[in-house]
Amino acid sequence: MTAPLLTGRLDRRSFLGFLAVGAGVVGVPSLLTGCTTTGGGPAVEPGTVTASNLPTYVPIEYVKPDFPSVNGSTAGYASIPEELVTAFETPPGAGGTYTAMTPLWSTIPSTRGNEYFDAVNEALGTTVEFQISDGNTYGDKLAAVLASAKDVPDWVSVPTWNIPPRFGQAVDALFQDLTPFLAGDKVKKYKNLANLPTDAWRFGVFNDKLYALPFPGDVINNAIFHRADIFAELGIDAAPTTADELLELAKEVTDPGKKRWGANDMWVAANIMFAVPPSDRWRLDDAGKLIHRIETEEYRAALDWQIKLYKSGAVHPDAVADRPEAAKPNFESGAVLITTDGVGGWHEALGRMQTTNPDYDQRPFPFFAADGGEPALWKGSPVNIFSFLKKTDDTARIEELLAVADFLASPFGTEEFQLINYGVEGTHYTLDEDGLPVPTDRAATEVAQSYIFLVDPPVVNAKVQYPGFVEAFCTWQAEAAQYLVEDLFYGMQITEPAQYASLKTPFEDLEKDIARGRKSMADLDDAVATWTSSGGEELRAFYQEILDKK
């Protein structure tokens, strides 16, 4: 992904970077592929979100953060609360038993005779029987299950990168419309669900009905990092404020004789600096016409900057050779001093490096526009994973599952959050001097945080084990959040017609070839012309119709 500032703690890159590599998007046979838009279609254009169908936002604060959220930025805690708050005096469930399908990117434990699952289910007052699947092949498993309504579990987790084609049409047949239960002030019955941000709910709307329970993440997720420790050794303390300054800085710190280069590939950074519309997205030109990102001057300017960067010799040879797997090792070793990464990579690097290099210090530059003005940061998707309840006429079943979801959405600082994320104290973890849970050997065989894939509270940063990290992260993100902007179709679930799926395919390789001098901007002109004549104009009309009905 290039332009959007992707979501944080559990987006496909940062979360799966923590666990493993995720699965790709797959097609779904039978029920899903059999759906069409003929026969009248939905009364409301797919993707439309009526404000009255969204839950009312009622923030709740069990423990006051040291660094409050600003315009959706991640709140932070400089220390772990000495005492946890009890959110539920009694179990919210009514004794039911329900099946739930979720992914996992680690060893799948047995759920029977498992004290972690037993303890959480007891606290819920409801038994959730998990059908856990390998996250790397979860898309295939999801396809098979959704192909037949009778095989659909009571509760299904769907990663956003596994959303199958025509899913927006299949939700009506498979899953429960939650609008009558959660829209507007109805959500106030569930205090922790009401605490989830409105943007997270927006991404759970299909066909103007609320279907999904969200797994919120960061709204700012990519950063331009530099090795602050090495910069200090070199006597460099000024951050770049323009694209040209970043280029000059990368050149300045490059010294091949010392096996040190200024930068990894910086295409993500170029997209950020030049405010290129998010991947596969559109904006309006001065005449009010929809133009795709590949047609914008911002896109061309970002490519032109990439050409200059590669010509300068400041890019590490591994990046020139298109070896993205070398980006992190080269940055962490000091062979590269400037890189782009998801913000989840920040604490992951600290965890890897603090024992071998205690002086290791990577920091994000403040965001800036290419010309030195105020940046425009496209707001990333606030949801990484969401879940759906199987359609039923039994209202009591839905209400019990929503009560369970309310428990699972208990935020940081509560006993419920601690139990769901770490298990039973003394059995699955002990507390260190900072109050952080340290897993026991038993945790490795029992604790699979499967409940979090059903619904999760707002993301916070409480990684106090890295001195200064929480403050640095939260203050940087709060400053950046003032520049967030939404693209035209933000928060809308739109399924493009299948015949346009391959239109974007040539551009990723073309971007790499142009940056490295193997192709020219004239080749881009040809590719855009081919895109236009091969379906781009029809795709424009498709989006224009949606825009007209907003």
Coordinates of all heavy atoms in Angstrom, one line a residue, residues 371-454:
D371 N 6.3 20.9 -0.7 CA 6.8 22.3 -0.9 C 7.0 23.0 0.4 O 7.3 24.2 0.4 CB 5.7 23.1 -1.7 CG 4.4 23.2 -1.0 OD1 4.2 22.7 0.1 OD2 3.5 23.7 -1.6
G372 N 6.9 22.4 1.6 CA 7.2 23.0 2.8 C 5.9 23.5 3.5 O 6.0 24.0 4.7
G373 N 4.8 23.4 2.9 CA 3.6 23.8 3.5 C 3.0 22.8 4.4 O 3.7 21.8 4.8
E374 N 1.7 22.9 4.8 CA 1.1 22.0 5.7 C 0.8 20.7 4.9 O 0.3 20.7 3.8 CB -0.2 22.5 6.3 CG 0.0 23.6 7.3 CD -1.3 24.0 8.0 OE1 -2.3 23.4 7.6 OE2 -1.2 24.8 9.0
P375 N 1.1 19.5 5.5 CA 0.8 18.3 4.8 C -0.7 18.0 4.8 O -1.5 18.5 5.6 CB 1.6 17.2 5.7 CG 1.6 17.8 7.1 CD 1.7 19.3 6.9
A376 N -1.1 17.1 3.9 CA -2.4 16.6 3.9 C -2.3 15.1 4.0 O -1.8 14.4 3.1 CB -3.2 16.9 2.6
L377 N -2.7 14.6 5.2 CA -2.5 13.1 5.5 C -3.8 12.4 5.3 O -4.8 12.7 6.0 CB -2.0 12.9 6.9 CG -0.7 13.7 7.3 CD1 -0.4 13.4 8.7 CD2 0.4 13.3 6.4
W378 N -3.9 11.5 4.3 CA -5.1 10.8 4.1 C -5.4 9.9 5.2 O -4.5 9.1 5.6 CB -5.0 10.0 2.8 CG -4.8 10.9 1.6 CD1 -3.6 11.0 0.9 CD2 -5.8 11.7 0.9 NE1 -3.8 11.9 -0.2 CE2 -5.2 12.3 -0.2 CE3 -7.1 11.9 1.1 CZ2 -5.8 13.2 -1.0 CZ3 -7.8 12.8 0.3 CH2 -7.2 13.4 -0.8
K379 N -6.5 10.0 5.8 CA -6.9 9.2 7.0 C -7.0 7.7 6.6 O -7.6 7.4 5.6 CB -8.2 9.7 7.6 CG -8.6 9.0 8.9 CD -10.0 9.4 9.3 CE -10.1 10.8 9.7 NZ -11.5 11.1 10.2
G380 N -6.3 6.9 7.3 CA -6.3 5.5 7.0 C -7.6 4.8 7.5 O -8.3 5.3 8.4
S381 N -7.8 3.6 7.1 CA -9.0 2.8 7.5 C -8.8 2.6 9.0 O -7.7 2.1 9.5 CB -9.0 1.5 6.8 OG -9.9 0.6 7.5
P382 N -9.8 2.9 9.8 CA -9.7 2.7 11.3 C -10.0 1.3 11.7 O -10.1 1.0 12.9 CB -10.8 3.7 11.8 CG -11.8 3.7 10.8 CD -11.1 3.5 9.4
V383 N -10.3 0.4 10.8 CA -10.6 -1.0 11.1 C -9.7 -1.9 10.3 O -9.6 -1.8 9.1 CB -12.1 -1.3 10.8 CG1 -12.4 -2.7 11.0 CG2 -13.0 -0.4 11.7
N384 N -9.1 -2.9 11.0 CA -8.3 -3.9 10.4 C -9.0 -5.2 10.2 O -8.8 -5.9 9.2 CB -7.1 -4.1 11.3 CG -6.5 -2.9 11.8 OD1 -5.7 -2.2 11.1 ND2 -6.8 -2.5 13.0
I385 N -9.9 -5.5 11.1 CA -10.6 -6.8 11.2 C -12.0 -6.4 11.7 O -12.1 -5.6 12.6 CB -9.9 -7.8 12.1 CG1 -8.5 -8.2 11.5 CG2 -10.8 -9.1 12.2 CD1 -7.7 -9.1 12.4
F386 N -13.0 -7.0 11.2 CA -14.3 -6.9 11.8 C -15.0 -8.3 11.9 O -14.5 -9.2 11.3 CB -15.2 -5.8 11.2 CG -15.2 -5.7 9.7 CD1 -15.0 -6.8 8.9 CD2 -15.4 -4.5 9.1 CE1 -15.0 -6.7 7.5 CE2 -15.4 -4.3 7.7 CZ -15.2 -5.4 6.9
S387 N -16.1 -8.3 12.6 CA -16.8 -9.6 12.7 C -18.3 -9.4 12.5 O -18.8 -8.3 12.6 CB -16.5 -10.2 14.1 OG -17.2 -9.4 15.1
F388 N -18.9 -10.6 12.2 CA -20.3 -10.6 11.9 C -21.1 -11.7 12.6 O -20.5 -12.7 12.9 CB -20.5 -10.8 10.4 CG -19.9 -9.8 9.5 CD1 -18.5 -9.8 9.3 CD2 -20.6 -8.8 8.9 CE1 -17.9 -8.8 8.5 CE2 -20.0 -7.8 8.1 CZ -18.6 -7.8 7.9
L389 N -22.3 -11.4 13.0 CA -23.2 -12.4 13.7 C -24.1 -13.0 12.7 O -24.7 -12.4 11.8 CB -24.0 -11.7 14.8 CG -23.2 -10.9 15.8 CD1 -24.2 -10.3 16.9 CD2 -22.1 -11.7 16.5
K390 N -24.2 -14.4 12.8 CA -25.1 -15.1 11.8 C -26.5 -14.7 11.9 O -27.0 -14.4 13.0 CB -24.9 -16.6 12.1 CG -25.7 -17.5 11.1 CD -25.4 -19.0 11.4 CE -26.1 -19.8 10.3 NZ -25.9 -21.3 10.6
K391 N -27.1 -14.6 10.8 CA -28.5 -14.1 10.7 C -29.5 -15.1 11.5 O -29.3 -16.3 11.3 CB -29.0 -14.0 9.3 CG -30.2 -13.2 9.1 CD -30.4 -12.9 7.6 CE -31.6 -12.0 7.4 NZ -31.8 -11.7 5.9
T392 N -30.4 -14.5 12.3 CA -31.3 -15.4 13.0 C -32.6 -14.5 13.3 O -32.5 -13.3 13.4 CB -30.7 -15.9 14.3 OG1 -31.7 -16.6 15.1 CG2 -30.2 -14.7 15.2
D393 N -33.7 -15.2 13.6 CA -34.9 -14.6 14.0 C -35.0 -14.5 15.5 O -35.9 -13.9 16.1 CB -36.1 -15.3 13.5 CG -36.2 -15.2 11.9 OD1 -35.8 -14.2 11.4 OD2 -36.7 -16.2 11.3
D394 N -34.0 -15.1 16.2 CA -34.0 -15.2 17.6 C -33.3 -14.0 18.2 O -32.1 -13.9 18.3 CB -33.3 -16.5 18.1 CG -33.4 -16.7 19.6 OD1 -33.8 -15.8 20.3 OD2 -33.1 -17.9 20.0
T395 N -34.1 -13.0 18.6 CA -33.5 -11.7 19.1 C -32.7 -11.9 20.3 O -31.7 -11.2 20.5 CB -34.7 -10.7 19.3 OG1 -35.4 -10.5 18.1 CG2 -34.2 -9.4 19.9
A396 N -33.1 -12.8 21.2 CA -32.4 -13.1 22.4 C -30.9 -13.5 22.1 O -30.0 -13.1 22.9 CB -33.1 -14.1 23.3
R397 N -30.7 -14.3 21.1 CA -29.4 -14.8 20.8 C -28.5 -13.6 20.4 O -27.4 -13.4 20.8 CB -29.4 -15.8 19.6 CG -30.0 -17.1 20.0 CD -30.1 -18.0 18.8 NE -28.8 -18.3 18.2 CZ -28.0 -19.3 18.6 NH1 -28.4 -20.1 19.6 NH2 -26.8 -19.6 18.0
I398 N -29.1 -12.7 19.6 CA -28.3 -11.5 19.1 C -28.0 -10.6 20.3 O -26.8 -10.1 20.5 CB -29.0 -10.7 18.1 CG1 -29.3 -11.6 16.8 CG2 -28.3 -9.4 17.7 CD1 -28.0 -12.1 16.2
E399 N -28.9 -10.4 21.2 CA -28.7 -9.6 22.4 C -27.7 -10.2 23.3 O -26.9 -9.4 23.9 CB -30.0 -9.3 23.1 CG -31.0 -8.4 22.3 CD -32.3 -8.2 23.0 OE1 -32.6 -9.0 23.9 OE2 -33.0 -7.2 22.7
E400 N -27.7 -11.5 23.5 CA -26.6 -12.1 24.3 C -25.2 -11.9 23.7 O -24.3 -11.6 24.4 CB -26.9 -13.6 24.5 CG -25.8 -14.2 25.4 CD -26.1 -15.7 25.8 OE1 -27.1 -16.2 25.3 OE2 -25.4 -16.2 26.7
L401 N -25.1 -12.1 22.4 CA -23.9 -12.0 21.7 C -23.4 -10.5 21.8 O -22.2 -10.3 21.9 CB -24.0 -12.4 20.3 CG -24.0 -14.0 20.1 CD1 -24.3 -14.3 18.6 CD2 -22.8 -14.6 20.5
L402 N -24.3 -9.6 21.7 CA -23.9 -8.2 21.8 C -23.4 -7.9 23.2 O -22.5 -7.0 23.4 CB -25.0 -7.3 21.4 CG -25.3 -7.3 19.9 CD1 -26.6 -6.4 19.6 CD2 -24.1 -6.8 19.1
A403 N -24.1 -8.5 24.2 CA -23.6 -8.3 25.6 C -22.2 -8.9 25.8 O -21.4 -8.3 26.5 CB -24.6 -9.0 26.6
V404 N -21.9 -10.0 25.1 CA -20.6 -10.6 25.1 C -19.6 -9.6 24.4 O -18.5 -9.4 24.9 CB -20.6 -12.0 24.4 CG1 -19.2 -12.5 24.2 CG2 -21.3 -13.0 25.3
A405 N -20.0 -9.1 23.3 CA -19.2 -8.2 22.6 C -18.9 -6.9 23.4 O -17.7 -6.4 23.4 CB -19.9 -7.7 21.3
D406 N -19.8 -6.5 24.2 CA -19.6 -5.3 25.1 C -18.5 -5.7 26.1 O -17.7 -4.8 26.4 CB -20.9 -5.0 25.8 CG -20.9 -3.7 26.5 OD1 -20.3 -2.7 25.9 OD2 -21.4 -3.6 27.6
F407 N -18.5 -6.9 26.6 CA -17.5 -7.3 27.6 C -16.1 -7.3 26.9 O -15.1 -6.8 27.4 CB -17.8 -8.7 28.1 CG -16.9 -9.2 29.1 CD1 -17.2 -9.2 30.5 CD2 -15.6 -9.8 28.7 CE1 -16.3 -9.8 31.4 CE2 -14.8 -10.3 29.7 CZ -15.1 -10.3 31.0
L408 N -16.1 -7.9 25.7 CA -14.8 -8.0 24.9 C -14.3 -6.7 24.5 O -13.1 -6.5 24.3 CB -15.0 -8.9 23.7 CG -15.5 -10.3 23.9 CD1 -15.6 -11.0 22.6 CD2 -14.5 -11.1 24.8
A409 N -15.1 -5.6 24.5 CA -14.7 -4.3 24.1 C -14.2 -3.5 25.3 O -13.9 -2.3 25.2 CB -15.8 -3.5 23.4
S410 N -14.1 -4.2 26.5 CA -13.6 -3.5 27.7 C -12.2 -2.9 27.4 O -11.3 -3.7 27.0 CB -13.6 -4.4 28.9 OG -14.9 -4.9 29.2
P411 N -12.0 -1.6 27.7 CA -10.7 -1.0 27.3 C -9.6 -1.3 28.3 O -9.7 -1.8 29.3 CB -11.1 0.5 27.2 CG -12.2 0.6 28.2 CD -13.0 -0.7 28.1
F412 N -8.4 -0.8 27.8 CA -7.2 -0.9 28.6 C -7.5 -0.3 30.0 O -8.1 0.8 30.2 CB -6.1 -0.1 27.9 CG -4.8 0.0 28.8 CD1 -3.9 -1.1 28.8 CD2 -4.5 1.1 29.5 CE1 -2.8 -1.0 29.5 CE2 -3.4 1.2 30.2 CZ -2.5 0.2 30.3
G413 N -6.9 -0.9 31.0 CA -7.1 -0.5 32.4 C -8.1 -1.2 33.2 O -8.3 -1.0 34.4
T414 N -8.8 -2.1 32.5 CA -9.9 -2.9 33.1 C -9.4 -4.4 33.4 O -8.5 -4.9 32.7 CB -11.2 -3.0 32.3 OG1 -10.9 -3.6 31.1 CG2 -11.7 -1.6 32.1
E415 N -10.0 -5.0 34.4 CA -9.6 -6.4 34.6 C -10.0 -7.3 33.4 O -9.4 -8.3 33.1 CB -10.4 -6.9 35.9 CG -9.9 -6.2 37.2 CD -10.6 -6.7 38.4 OE1 -11.7 -7.4 38.2 OE2 -10.1 -6.5 39.5
E416 N -11.1 -6.9 32.8 CA -11.6 -7.6 31.6 C -10.6 -7.6 30.5 O -10.3 -8.6 29.8 CB -13.0 -7.1 31.2 CG -14.1 -7.3 32.2 CD -14.1 -6.4 33.4 OE1 -13.3 -5.4 33.4 OE2 -14.9 -6.6 34.3
F417 N -10.0 -6.5 30.2 CA -9.0 -6.3 29.1 C -7.8 -7.2 29.5 O -7.3 -7.9 28.6 CB -8.6 -4.8 29.0 CG -7.5 -4.6 28.0 CD1 -7.8 -4.2 26.7 CD2 -6.2 -4.7 28.4 CE1 -6.8 -3.9 25.8 CE2 -5.2 -4.4 27.4 CZ -5.5 -4.1 26.1
Q418 N -7.4 -7.2 30.7 CA -6.2 -7.9 31.2 C -6.5 -9.4 31.0 O -5.6 -10.2 30.5 CB -5.9 -7.7 32.6 CG -4.6 -8.1 33.1 CD -3.5 -7.1 32.9 OE1 -3.6 -6.2 32.1 NE2 -2.4 -7.2 33.7
L419 N -7.7 -9.9 31.3 CA -8.0 -11.3 31.2 C -8.0 -11.7 29.7 O -7.4 -12.8 29.4 CB -9.4 -11.6 31.8 CG -9.9 -13.0 31.6 CD1 -9.1 -14.0 32.3 CD2 -11.4 -13.0 32.1
I420 N -8.7 -10.9 28.9 CA -8.8 -11.3 27.5 C -7.4 -11.3 26.8 O -7.2 -12.2 26.0 CB -9.7 -10.3 26.8 CG1 -11.2 -10.5 27.3 CG2 -9.7 -10.5 25.3 CD1 -12.0 -9.3 27.0
N421 N -6.6 -10.4 27.1 CA -5.3 -10.3 26.4 C -4.2 -11.1 27.0 O -3.3 -11.5 26.3 CB -4.9 -8.8 26.4 CG -5.7 -8.0 25.4 OD1 -5.3 -7.9 24.2 ND2 -6.8 -7.4 25.8
Y422 N -4.3 -11.4 28.3 CA -3.1 -12.1 28.9 C -3.5 -13.4 29.7 O -2.6 -14.2 30.0 CB -2.4 -11.2 29.9 CG -1.9 -9.9 29.2 CD1 -2.6 -8.7 29.4 CD2 -0.9 -9.9 28.2 CE1 -2.2 -7.5 28.8 CE2 -0.5 -8.8 27.6 CZ -1.2 -7.6 27.8 OH -0.8 -6.4 27.2
G423 N -4.8 -13.6 30.0 CA -5.1 -14.8 30.7 C -5.2 -14.6 32.2 O -5.5 -13.5 32.7
V424 N -5.0 -15.6 32.9 CA -5.1 -15.6 34.4 C -3.8 -15.4 35.0 O -2.8 -16.0 34.8 CB -5.7 -17.0 34.9 CG1 -5.8 -17.0 36.4 CG2 -7.0 -17.3 34.2
E425 N -3.8 -14.3 35.9 CA -2.5 -14.0 36.6 C -2.1 -15.2 37.5 O -2.9 -15.8 38.2 CB -2.7 -12.8 37.5 CG -1.4 -12.3 38.1 CD -1.5 -11.0 38.9 OE1 -2.6 -10.5 39.0 OE2 -0.5 -10.6 39.5
G426 N -0.8 -15.5 37.4 CA -0.2 -16.6 38.2 C -0.2 -17.9 37.4 O 0.6 -18.8 37.7
T427 N -1.1 -18.0 36.5 CA -1.2 -19.2 35.6 C -0.6 -18.9 34.2 O 0.2 -19.6 33.7 CB -2.7 -19.6 35.4 OG1 -3.2 -20.0 36.7 CG2 -2.7 -20.9 34.5
H428 N -1.0 -17.8 33.7 CA -0.6 -17.4 32.3 C 0.4 -16.3 32.3 O 1.1 -16.0 31.3 CB -1.8 -17.1 31.4 CG -2.7 -18.2 31.3 ND1 -4.0 -18.2 31.8 CD2 -2.6 -19.5 30.8 CE1 -4.6 -19.3 31.5 NE2 -3.8 -20.1 30.9
Y429 N 0.5 -15.5 33.4 CA 1.5 -14.4 33.4 C 1.8 -14.0 34.8 O 1.0 -14.3 35.8 CB 0.9 -13.2 32.6 CG -0.2 -12.5 33.3 CD1 -0.1 -11.4 34.2 CD2 -1.5 -12.8 33.0 CE1 -1.1 -10.8 34.8 CE2 -2.6 -12.2 33.5 CZ -2.4 -11.2 34.5 OH -3.5 -10.5 35.0
T430 N 2.9 -13.3 35.0 CA 3.2 -12.6 36.2 C 3.5 -11.2 35.8 O 3.7 -10.9 34.6 CB 4.5 -13.3 36.9 OG1 5.6 -13.2 36.0 CG2 4.2 -14.7 37.3
L431 N 3.6 -10.3 36.8 CA 3.8 -8.9 36.5 C 5.2 -8.5 36.8 O 5.8 -8.9 37.9 CB 2.9 -8.0 37.4 CG 1.4 -8.2 37.1 CD1 0.5 -7.3 38.1 CD2 1.0 -7.9 35.7
D432 N 5.9 -7.8 35.9 CA 7.2 -7.3 36.2 C 7.2 -6.0 36.9 O 6.2 -5.5 37.4 CB 8.0 -7.2 34.9 CG 7.5 -6.1 34.0 OD1 6.6 -5.2 34.4 OD2 7.9 -6.0 32.8
E433 N 8.4 -5.4 37.1 CA 8.5 -4.2 37.9 C 7.7 -3.0 37.3 O 7.4 -2.0 38.1 CB 10.0 -3.8 38.1 CG 10.7 -3.4 36.9 CD 11.3 -4.7 36.1 OE1 10.9 -5.8 36.5 OE2 12.1 -4.5 35.2
D434 N 7.4 -3.0 36.1 CA 6.7 -2.0 35.4 C 5.2 -2.3 35.5 O 4.4 -1.4 35.0 CB 7.1 -1.8 34.0 CG 8.5 -1.3 33.8 OD1 8.9 -0.4 34.6 OD2 9.2 -1.7 33.0
G435 N 4.8 -3.4 36.0 CA 3.4 -3.8 36.0 C 2.9 -4.5 34.7 O 1.7 -4.7 34.5
L436 N 3.9 -4.8 33.8 CA 3.6 -5.4 32.6 C 3.5 -6.9 32.7 O 4.3 -7.5 33.4 CB 4.6 -5.1 31.5 CG 4.6 -3.7 31.0 CD1 5.9 -3.4 30.2 CD2 3.4 -3.5 30.0
P437 N 2.5 -7.6 32.1 CA 2.4 -9.0 32.1 C 3.6 -9.7 31.5 O 4.0 -9.4 30.3 CB 1.1 -9.3 31.4 CG 0.4 -8.0 31.4 CD 1.4 -7.0 31.3
V438 N 4.2 -10.7 32.1 CA 5.2 -11.5 31.6 C 4.7 -12.9 31.4 O 4.3 -13.5 32.4 CB 6.5 -11.5 32.5 CG1 7.5 -12.4 31.9 CG2 7.0 -10.1 32.7
P439 N 4.6 -13.4 30.2 CA 3.9 -14.7 30.0 C 4.7 -15.9 30.6 O 5.9 -15.9 30.6 CB 3.9 -14.9 28.5 CG 4.9 -13.9 27.9 CD 5.0 -12.8 28.9
T440 N 4.0 -16.8 31.1 CA 4.6 -18.1 31.7 C 4.7 -19.1 30.5 O 4.2 -18.9 29.4 CB 3.7 -18.7 32.8 OG1 2.4 -19.0 32.2 CG2 3.4 -17.6 33.9
D441 N 5.4 -20.2 30.8 CA 5.5 -21.2 29.8 C 4.1 -21.8 29.4 O 3.9 -22.1 28.3 CB 6.3 -22.4 30.4 CG 7.8 -22.0 30.6 OD1 8.2 -21.0 29.9 OD2 8.5 -22.7 31.3
R442 N 3.2 -21.8 30.4 CA 1.9 -22.3 30.1 C 1.1 -21.4 29.1 O 0.3 -21.9 28.3 CB 1.1 -22.5 31.4 CG -0.2 -23.2 31.2 CD -0.8 -23.5 32.6 NE -2.1 -24.1 32.4 CZ -2.9 -24.6 33.5 NH1 -2.4 -24.4 34.7 NH2 -4.1 -25.1 33.3
A443 N 1.4 -20.1 29.2 CA 0.7 -19.2 28.2 C 1.0 -19.6 26.8 O 0.1 -19.4 25.9 CB 1.2 -17.8 28.5
A444 N 2.2 -20.1 26.5 CA 2.5 -20.4 25.1 C 1.7 -21.5 24.6 O 1.5 -21.6 23.3 CB 4.0 -20.8 25.1
T445 N 1.1 -22.4 25.4 CA 0.3 -23.5 25.0 C -1.2 -23.3 25.1 O -2.0 -24.0 24.6 CB 0.7 -24.8 25.7 OG1 0.5 -24.6 27.1 CG2 2.2 -25.1 25.5
E446 N -1.6 -22.2 25.9 CA -3.0 -22.0 26.1 C -3.5 -20.7 25.6 O -4.7 -20.6 25.2 CB -3.3 -22.1 27.6 CG -3.2 -23.5 28.2 CD -3.8 -23.7 29.5 OE1 -4.1 -22.7 30.2 OE2 -4.1 -24.9 29.9
V447 N -2.8 -19.6 25.8 CA -3.3 -18.3 25.5 C -3.3 -18.0 24.0 O -2.2 -17.7 23.4 CB -2.6 -17.2 26.3 CG1 -3.2 -15.8 25.9 CG2 -2.7 -17.4 27.8
A448 N -4.4 -18.0 23.4 CA -4.6 -17.6 22.0 C -5.6 -16.5 22.0 O -6.8 -16.8 22.3 CB -5.0 -18.7 21.1
Q449 N -5.2 -15.3 21.7 CA -6.1 -14.1 22.0 C -7.2 -14.1 20.9 O -7.5 -13.1 20.3 CB -5.3 -12.8 22.0 CG -4.2 -12.8 23.0 CD -3.2 -11.7 22.8 OE1 -2.8 -11.5 21.7 NE2 -2.8 -11.0 23.9
S450 N -8.0 -15.2 20.8 CA -9.0 -15.3 19.8 C -10.1 -14.4 19.9 O -10.8 -13.9 19.0 CB -9.5 -16.7 19.7 OG -8.4 -17.6 19.4
Y451 N -10.4 -14.0 21.2 CA -11.6 -13.1 21.5 C -11.4 -11.7 20.8 O -12.3 -11.1 20.5 CB -11.8 -13.0 23.0 CG -12.1 -14.3 23.7 CD1 -11.1 -15.1 24.2 CD2 -13.4 -14.7 23.8 CE1 -11.4 -16.3 24.9 CE2 -13.8 -15.9 24.4 CZ -12.8 -16.7 25.0 OH -13.1 -17.9 25.6
I452 N -10.1 -11.3 20.7 CA -9.9 -9.9 20.2 C -10.3 -9.8 18.7 O -10.5 -8.7 18.3 CB -8.4 -9.5 20.4 CG1 -7.5 -10.3 19.5 CG2 -8.0 -9.6 21.9 CD1 -6.0 -9.8 19.6
F453 N -10.4 -10.9 18.0 CA -10.7 -10.9 16.6 C -12.2 -10.8 16.4 O -12.7 -10.7 15.3 CB -10.2 -12.1 15.9 CG -8.7 -12.2 15.9 CD1 -8.1 -13.4 16.4 CD2 -7.9 -11.2 15.5 CE1 -6.7 -13.5 16.5 CE2 -6.5 -11.3 15.5 CZ -5.9 -12.4 16.0
L454 N -13.0 -10.8 17.5 CA -14.4 -10.7 17.4 C -14.8 -9.2 17.6 O -15.7 -8.7 16.9 CB -15.1 -11.5 18.5 CG -14.8 -13.0 18.3 CD1 -15.5 -13.8 19.4 CD2 -15.3 -13.6 17.0

